[in-house]
């Protein structure tokens, strides 16, 4: 086919969002037939939608017996979609329901893009966060392909500022992301003290948080690109003055922010969330220390769509 056909196909896929090769009407019928012999568009609609009292929606997708969840969070004129990158997760963080279901496979770039393209609010989305099921940098190649489609002129042509990728700190994938993308970074920190972090996050053993920060400090986050740290607060575990002191030391010289997250109870997890008063105290102390810190608003807890609650474990058992 002529070289310009590639641009036409991309236009139909990402600008016009067609669901059938037959709809690509500026491509000759003969070439459409050729395409249809070997390819499909690959979009598939969610099989279930659950809506929270706060307007948050959780979408359930099924593909070949595998289940994927993503969450759409509306906030006035802002629509953020939280996408998954894996079925389950290998990281086994003690406080996360997704990790408890184990790992059941990688999502392809098409599976990840489908979450964005196949929901009713697709055209209204203002932001995408890679914070759903799975560890993005345990599926780096596919995540980078998706980021390319989202930001490239031939694709969605979004600003990288609309996209945030979260990680527990897998350094090989992190290095590629920092070099090959300008999207925002969010790091699941949760405890700045190495031995204590290891108790709740096994990834600390292979990828110590100090080494992760070392890599991040090689890049400039003083401009439009941002790095933030996710910090779920557990009563008596990571909410002490010593943790504030350790955070100051760990993040010294790095332009960043910390998002404090309320812990949502997960079955069989012997951790308890810090009180609202303790979270406010912790936030104020960090702000006084010169680290911009906010408490993230909890959304979708009633439909198990809040941080750490995504799990298709029950469905996997069917």
């Amino acid at each position: 086919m002529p070289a310009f056909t590639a641009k036409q196909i991309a236009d139909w896929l990402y600008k016009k969002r067609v669901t059938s090769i037959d709809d690509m009407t500026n491509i000759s019928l003969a070439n459409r037939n050729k395409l249809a012999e070997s390819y499909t568009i690959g979009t598939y609609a969610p099989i279930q939608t659950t809506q929270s009292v706060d307007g948050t929606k959780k979408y359930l997708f099924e593909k070949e017996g595998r289940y994927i969840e993503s969450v759409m969070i509306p906030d006035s004129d802002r629509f953020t979609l939280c996408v998954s990158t894996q079925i389950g997760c290998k990281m086994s963080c003690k406080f996360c329901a997704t990790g408890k279901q184990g790992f059941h496979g990688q999502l392809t770039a098409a599976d990840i893009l489908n979450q964005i393209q196949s929901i009713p609010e697709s055209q209204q989305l203002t932001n995408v966060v890679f914070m759903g099921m799975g560890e993005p940098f345990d599926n780096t190649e596919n995540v980078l392909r998706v980021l390319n489609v989202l930001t490239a002129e031939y694709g969605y042509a979004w600003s990288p500022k609309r996209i945030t990728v979260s990680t527990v700190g897998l350094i090989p994938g992190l290095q590629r992301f920092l070099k090959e993308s300008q999207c925002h970074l969010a790091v699941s920190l949760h405890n700045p003290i190495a031995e204590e972090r290891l108790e709740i996050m096994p990834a600390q053993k292979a990828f110590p948080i100090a080494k992760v920060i070392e890599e991040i400090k090689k890049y400039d986050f003083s401009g439009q690109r941002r790095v933030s740290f996710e910090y779920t607060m557990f009563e008596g575990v990571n909410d002490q003055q010593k943790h504030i002191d350790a955070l100051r030391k760990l993040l010294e010289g790095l332009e960043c922010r910390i998002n404090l997250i309320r812990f949502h109870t997960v079955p069989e997890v012997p951790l308890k969330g810090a009180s609202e008063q303790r979270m406010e105290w912790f936030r104020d102390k960090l702000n006084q220390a010169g680290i911009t810190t906010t408490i993230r608003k909890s959304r979708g807890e009633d439909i198990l769509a809040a941080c750490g609650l995504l799990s298709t474990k029950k469905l996997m058992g069917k």
Side-chain angles (χ1 to χ4, degrees):
M1 298 181 197
F4 62 78
T5 309
K7 190 173 181 181
Q8 290 174 320
I9 291 171
D11 188 64
W12 285 111
L13 287 176
Y14 305 126
K15 303 281 198 292
K16 299 185 175 73
R17 314 280 182 95
V18 297
T19 56
S20 168
I21 289 170
D22 288 336
D23 294 334
M24 299 180 176
T25 51
N26 64 350
I27 297 172
S28 73
L29 181 59
N31 280 338
R32 273 183 274 155
N33 289 336
K34 275 187 200 172
L35 286 169
E37 283 172 18
S38 303
Y39 302 102
T40 59
I41 299 289
T43 54
Y44 49 102
I47 60 169
Q48 183 181 309
T49 304
T50 314
Q51 184 157 346
S52 165
V53 292
D54 63 23
T56 298
K57 288 183 183 178
K58 182 165 73 170
Y59 290 102
L60 179 69
F61 297 88
E62 180 184 5
K63 187 183 181 187
E64 298 166 359
R66 304 190 308 169
Y67 296 90
I68 305 157
E69 288 184 323
S70 50
V71 178
M72 196 282 298
I73 306 159
D75 189 6
S76 63
D77 60 348
R78 190 179 169 101
F79 290 81
T80 301
L81 185 68
C82 178
V83 298
S84 294
T85 55
Q86 297 179 311
I87 307 289
C89 187
K90 299 177 194 171
M91 298 301 108
S92 301
C93 296
K94 190 175 181 179
F95 48 86
C96 180
T98 308
K100 288 199 160 293
Q101 80 174 65
F103 176 71
H104 300 279
Q106 302 286 20
L107 295 184
T108 64
D111 292 327
I112 300 168
L113 277 170
N114 182 69
Q115 296 168 69
I116 300 165
Q117 198 147 312
S118 294
I119 63 168
E121 299 84 4
S122 180
Q123 299 281 10
Q124 294 170 270
L125 293 177
T126 57
N127 299 82
V128 169
V129 294
F130 288 67
M131 296 182 181
M133 300 168 65
E135 161 57 49
F137 297 150
D138 191 35
N139 190 10
T140 308
E141 194 64 47
N142 285 314
V143 167
L144 289 175
R145 288 180 68 194
V146 173
L147 296 180
N148 186 45
V149 170
L150 291 178
T151 56
E153 279 304 313
Y154 73 79
Y156 283 48
W158 278 19
S159 163
K161 292 186 290 181
R162 296 170 64 175
I163 304 162
T164 302
V165 181
S166 175
T167 180
V168 298
L170 272 62
I171 290 174
L174 174 66
Q175 289 171 328
R176 282 197 62 190
F177 169 78
L178 290 170
K179 285 176 190 165
E180 298 176 32
S181 169
Q182 284 300 309
C183 296
H184 296 319
L185 173 68
V187 178
S188 295
L189 176 53
H190 310 299
N191 199 313
I193 299 170
E195 309 77 42
E196 294 183 10
R197 188 171 188 259
L198 181 59
E199 287 179 20
I200 57 171
M201 299 179 73
Q204 168 70 21
K205 186 172 184 179
F207 304 106
I209 192 62
K211 295 279 187 190
V212 174
I213 304 297
E214 212 175 278
E215 287 298 323
I216 294 169
K217 283 183 176 178
K218 294 174 184 176
Y219 293 82
D220 181 16
F221 286 93
S222 61
Q224 293 190 325
R225 191 181 196 186
R226 292 196 311 267
V227 58
S228 57
F229 293 90
E230 311 298 297
Y231 198 96
T232 302
M233 293 201 66
F234 309 107
E235 184 182 281
V237 174
N238 64 351
D239 61 349
Q240 309 297 308
Q241 180 64 48
K242 67 176 181 178
H243 298 106
I244 293 167
D245 296 338
L247 283 166
R248 285 178 62 186
K249 187 175 178 183
L250 184 67
L251 302 177
E252 188 178 4
L254 182 62
E255 190 79 28
C256 64
R257 79 164 44 232
I258 294 176
N259 293 316
L260 302 182
I261 300 169
R262 294 172 181 83
F263 175 59
H264 306 287
T265 304
V266 174
E268 303 167 36
V269 173
L271 291 168
K272 186 179 176 185
S275 68
E276 196 67 26
Q277 292 83 354
R278 191 64 174 178
M279 289 185 73
E280 289 172 0
W281 172 81
F282 202 84
R283 174 199 63 195
D284 293 345
K285 284 282 188 180
L286 283 169
N287 279 318
Q288 287 163 18
I291 302 172
T292 303
T293 306
T294 56
I295 298 174
R296 180 184 288 169
K297 191 190 297 184
S298 184
R299 301 290 299 269
E301 185 176 3
D302 58 319
I303 58 168
L304 302 180
C307 285
L309 296 184
L310 293 186
S311 175
T312 53
K313 186 177 182 179
K314 288 182 182 176
L315 294 169
M316 298 301 292
K318 283 187 177 179

